[in-house]
Amino acid sequence: MLMKKRGHTCLLASSMASLVVLMMVLYGCGTIGTQQPGSASLRHDYQLLGRPLYKLDLSWPKNPELFTGEVFGVAVNQYAGVVHVAQRGNNVPKVLVFTTDGDFLMSWNTTTLEMPHGIFVADAASSNPTVWITDVGSGPYGHCIKQYSPSGKLLQVLGTPGKAGSGMNPLQFDQPAEIFVHDSGEMYIVDGDGGMNNRLIKLSKEQEVLWMHGEKGQGLAQFYIPHSVTVDNAHRVWVADRGNKRIQIFNSITGDWLGTWGSCFTEDAPYSVRLTPDKKYFVVVQLNTNQISLLDAPPVGLIGQCSVVSVIQLAEEVKPHLVDLDLKTGALYVAEIGAQQAQKFTPFSLGKSFP
């Protein structure tokens, strides 16, 4: 059932009621609000609105008690079958590593992470994949982006640790939100999770600045808290411009502005943006309304307006933050600050691998 979203009220219209009830019966969705806040069962409750595309995998992970902090980010290596989960808190491991089947592998014993925000696996298909983490801490290791081995060994640092700034040479950040590393080695960074910067930066494989948009505002190619970034196969960069409640799109080669999506985000801002492996949908998280929305991905050469196809409505106070997808199976992993957990959702077309 295809829906064009005009605020979330269209998703909850009375004409949807029977469909929601039917899907809850068929797909085992819980009824939100039937348990006490903070209970384990409530944290796993959800409803499907629109076309049912994903369902919760309650078996992942097998040891959820290992989540001991606020979970901010998640990153998948589909070739190794590994999921890295970034969490914050005092005296908690900043990264937990699980298999895609839910087995716990390890936690990182590192003192070089203060407040992890975004996390990304690069070179996943190679024999030497690495994990990039943005650190928004204000201490001696904060305001920078770090590259680690899969086991947590610090390999290199982008930015000036402990010093917030807007400099380009040497490169400085202020609360960098997320990094996306393309298969070419080129990097796309959204810098400004509420700090002085509101920037989208593209770096070459050699980490030289190729282009940048860095003006704060509501105009075209301006940002207010750019929070997440992804790149599709049509040379388009998609940025969750959180403070402006919109997604902005750019040409990945030239940096030219291509368009804006805003009509889907009247009630809450987009926090995370990722593309499903079949290239059909963008997965967008809205933290304050506790929703994960799947939007139709436009064809090459067209931006158009956003169209919501499916919504995963989570329970109150779950606070989904950032997401990642297994590009082999299509499984969706969600980092949830309020529920202090990561969850796995699997596509209903089980048994069918994405290309």
Side-chain angles (χ1 to χ4, degrees):
M1 180 177 181
L2 182 62
M3 298 178 298
K4 292 188 177 179
K5 184 176 179 185
R6 292 177 175 85
H8 295 293
T9 53
C10 68
L11 296 174
L12 301 176
S14 59
S15 61
M16 291 285 298
S18 59
L19 175 60
V20 172
V21 172
L22 177 60
M23 288 191 298
M24 290 168 60
V25 172
L26 292 177
Y27 303 115
C29 307
T31 302
I32 294 177
T34 56
Q35 290 84 20
Q36 293 300 313
S39 70
S41 55
L42 180 62
R43 292 199 304 268
H44 295 304
D45 276 352
Y46 70 105
Q47 291 179 345
L48 297 179
L49 305 173
R51 186 184 306 163
L53 296 175
Y54 279 90
K55 64 178 179 179
L56 179 63
D57 182 352
L58 284 169
S59 68
W60 194 96
K62 296 176 182 177
N63 300 101
E65 68 276 6
L66 294 172
F67 297 128
T68 52
E70 295 181 320
V71 177
F72 269 75
V74 60
V76 186
N77 182 337
Q78 70 271 23
Y79 297 100
V82 170
V83 183
H84 291 79
V85 179
Q87 60 177 5
R88 296 184 196 172
N90 296 325
N91 302 315
V92 303
K94 295 302 191 291
V95 176
L96 303 172
V97 186
F98 301 89
T99 69
T100 51
D101 291 329
D103 295 310
F104 176 68
L105 294 177
M106 71 180 80
S107 59
W108 286 8
N109 182 23
T110 179
T111 59
T112 60
L113 275 173
E114 293 181 4
M115 296 179 67
H117 190 273
I119 181 170
F120 188 90
V121 175
D123 298 317
S126 73
S127 58
N128 295 299
T130 60
V131 182
W132 290 88
I133 300 178
T134 63
D135 194 332
V136 300
S138 57
Y141 298 106
H143 299 300
C144 56
I145 304 174
K146 300 157 187 175
Q147 183 189 37
Y148 292 88
S149 72
S151 60
K153 178 182 178 181
L154 181 62
L155 302 177
Q156 67 169 317
V157 177
L158 294 179
T160 308
K163 295 182 180 179
S166 302
M168 302 303 292
N169 188 18
L171 196 59
Q172 291 180 305
F173 304 108
D174 185 2
Q175 299 182 46
E178 194 175 64
I179 182 171
F180 182 97
V181 184
H182 193 266
D183 291 342
S184 65
E186 295 172 330
M187 302 176 181
Y188 299 82
I189 298 166
V190 280
D191 175 30
D193 186 37
M196 71 177 78
N197 298 332
N198 289 274
R199 306 189 297 186
L200 167 64
I201 305 171
K202 180 182 179 180
L203 301 181
S204 68
K205 185 178 181 179
E206 294 74 31
Q207 299 175 8
E208 298 175 350
V209 177
L210 296 178
W211 53 258
M212 180 185 74
H213 292 288
E215 187 174 349
K216 181 179 179 179
Q218 299 177 349
L220 306 183
Q222 295 178 333
F223 298 106
Y224 179 40
I225 312 181
H227 197 261
S228 182
V229 59
T230 196
V231 182
D232 66 18
N233 290 345
H235 303 293
R236 297 178 296 191
V237 184
W238 301 76
V239 179
D241 187 5
R242 191 184 108 188
N244 287 321
K245 289 188 176 181
R246 64 186 181 182
I247 289 176
Q248 293 200 74
I249 306 99
F250 301 85
N251 183 295
S252 66
I253 299 173
T254 65
D256 292 340
W257 179 88
L258 297 177
T260 297
W261 280 0
S263 61
C264 295
F265 312 114
T266 56
E267 292 190 19
D268 192 20
Y271 275 68
S272 182
V273 57
R274 284 290 182 267
L275 188 63
T276 56
D278 59 7
K279 318 303 180 190
K280 290 183 178 180
Y281 309 106
F282 282 102
V283 181
V284 177
V285 160
Q286 293 166 281
L287 179 142
N288 294 297
T289 53
N290 300 290
Q291 290 181 327
I292 307 164
S293 298
L294 284 93
L295 283 58
D296 266 328
V300 176
L302 178 67
I303 299 298
Q305 292 298 317
C306 55
S307 176
V308 178
V309 176
S310 179
V311 172
I312 303 171
Q313 177 65 62
L314 302 174
E316 291 294 325
E317 304 304 324
V318 167
K319 303 301 181 188
H321 185 244
L322 294 173
V323 302
D324 201 15
L325 289 111
D326 185 324
L327 298 182
K328 182 179 179 182
T329 66
L332 167 65
Y333 294 84
V334 185
E336 300 170 352
I337 298 175
Q340 297 192 7
Q341 65 184 6
Q343 293 197 102
K344 176 183 180 180
F345 291 82
T346 58
F348 276 117
S349 54
L350 293 177
K352 174 188 175 184
S353 294
F354 285 88

